[in-house]
Amino acid sequence: MRIIDLPAVDSTNTYLSGIAAESENGTVVVTHAQTAGRGQRGNSWESAPGENITMSLLLRPSHIAPAAQFVISQAVSVAIVNVLKRYLPDREVSIKWPNDIYVDDRKICGILIENTISGHSIEYSIVGMGINVNQREFLSDAPNPVSLTQLTCDRYDVSSLVTEFVTEILSIFNKVDISRDTDGVEVSLFAELSQDYAGLLWRRDGYYPYHDNIRDVDMMAAIRGVAPTGHITLVTLEGETYVYAFKEITAILS
């Protein structure tokens, strides 16, 4: 594990992308102040300088086919939950599909994965992570942020946590394997990962409010599964089943 610690940078993902070609698997870029951090859906990520984890990790998933790239998101999100549970043993830590990390109904971590595909393989993946650690107050209009210190009233060594998170991610990522069945279809040999991911999903049991961005309607629905492609299946109270890609469905916060 090589860690590049920068006092300030516009975006750790952008910086790591610039050195990815000559960098090895497991290279980490971490910064104390990120001036143009990016989140999913083009959102920015609020982080008080020096208080939280703002980092990007380089993975080289040569053993994972592009069609199976969602397994990278599963590995990263499950690993982050595993570490957070060590510090929050009495709280519900879960994965809001596809890979936000929640404690109860509040967001503690955002993940942005950018894959570079060459031919029939993924050349490298850059995994950007913002994890709220010591920040006590959030000033942006984000609806539900929370930090470790808000939940426990303790302060944490950010550098030690970076190492702990990256070690867990690499441990899980290195166990993921993809092979071909008799029909040449890509299948995951690490079925436990998909099971772990499903068991950690936020709102995995019961019906909750969602907004269907395709039909522009609100509905009550329950999660029925997440496919290897990353598509989520919801079933409504009326028994109708819908399958969504990322950005096609929005969970409505209570």
Side-chain angles (χ1 to χ4, degrees):
M1 181 193 308
R2 176 193 177 202
I3 298 179
I4 301 170
D5 194 335
L6 303 174
V9 71
D10 55 353
S11 162
T12 55
N13 267 32
T14 301
Y15 183 94
L16 185 53
S17 178
I19 63 170
E22 63 269 21
S23 298
E24 62 184 15
N25 182 66
T27 298
V28 179
V29 173
V30 61
T31 187
H32 302 275
Q34 184 170 238
T35 59
R38 291 172 287 130
Q40 297 283 15
R41 306 176 192 270
N43 295 334
S44 61
W45 180 261
E46 177 189 359
S47 181
E51 294 293 279
N52 305 314
I53 293 174
T54 306
M55 69 175 174
S56 295
L57 166 67
L58 180 71
L59 298 176
R60 293 197 174 278
S62 58
H63 55 303
I64 298 173
Q69 61 187 269
F70 184 66
V71 75
I72 301 169
S73 182
Q74 290 177 308
V76 172
S77 53
V78 168
I80 290 175
V81 169
N82 288 350
V83 174
L84 287 173
K85 282 187 169 183
R86 298 170 192 165
Y87 297 91
L88 301 167
D90 300 322
R91 306 300 289 257
E92 174 71 14
V93 186
S94 58
I95 303 164
K96 177 179 175 288
W97 176 86
N99 57 17
D100 282 341
I101 309 301
Y102 271 36
V103 180
D104 300 325
D105 286 334
R106 302 178 71 184
K107 182 175 176 178
I108 196 168
C109 171
I111 302 168
L112 176 64
I113 300 176
E114 298 176 310
N115 296 313
T116 296
I117 297 172
S118 177
H120 298 290
S121 64
I122 303 173
E123 185 176 352
Y124 58 83
S125 298
I126 293 178
V127 182
M129 291 161 277
I131 306 172
N132 297 328
V133 179
N134 291 320
Q135 190 161 340
R136 292 187 176 276
E137 184 180 8
F138 293 89
L139 304 177
S140 75
D141 58 359
N144 59 339
V146 72
S147 69
L148 267 177
T149 206
Q150 285 179 326
L151 294 165
T152 66
C153 297
D154 293 328
R155 283 189 64 84
Y156 300 88
D157 184 283
V158 173
S159 296
S160 296
L161 282 176
V162 166
T163 300
E164 191 171 354
F165 279 111
V166 173
T167 299
E168 183 72 9
I169 290 169
L170 292 175
S171 175
I172 293 179
F173 172 75
N174 290 335
K175 295 176 185 175
V176 175
D177 194 11
I178 300 294
S179 69
R180 299 180 182 275
D181 66 12
T182 54
D183 297 321
V185 178
E186 302 291 346
V187 295
S188 174
L189 295 181
F190 193 47
E192 295 90 346
L193 177 59
S194 292
Q195 293 172 1
D196 290 346
Y197 177 87
L200 291 171
L201 280 173
W202 180 68
R203 293 184 171 179
R204 59 189 173 274
D205 298 314
Y207 289 82
Y208 295 91
Y210 292 88
H211 183 78
D212 184 317
N213 299 323
I214 301 172
R215 298 182 297 138
D216 194 23
V217 295
D218 291 343
M219 63 183 188
M220 294 293 292
I223 296 173
R224 282 295 174 264
V226 178
T229 59
H231 291 77
I232 191 169
T233 299
L234 301 182
V235 60
T236 68
L237 282 171
E238 296 74 28
E240 299 171 314
T241 299
Y242 297 95
V243 179
Y244 299 97
F246 180 55
K247 297 185 181 180
E248 293 180 347
I249 189 74
T250 301
I252 299 174
L253 296 171
S254 302

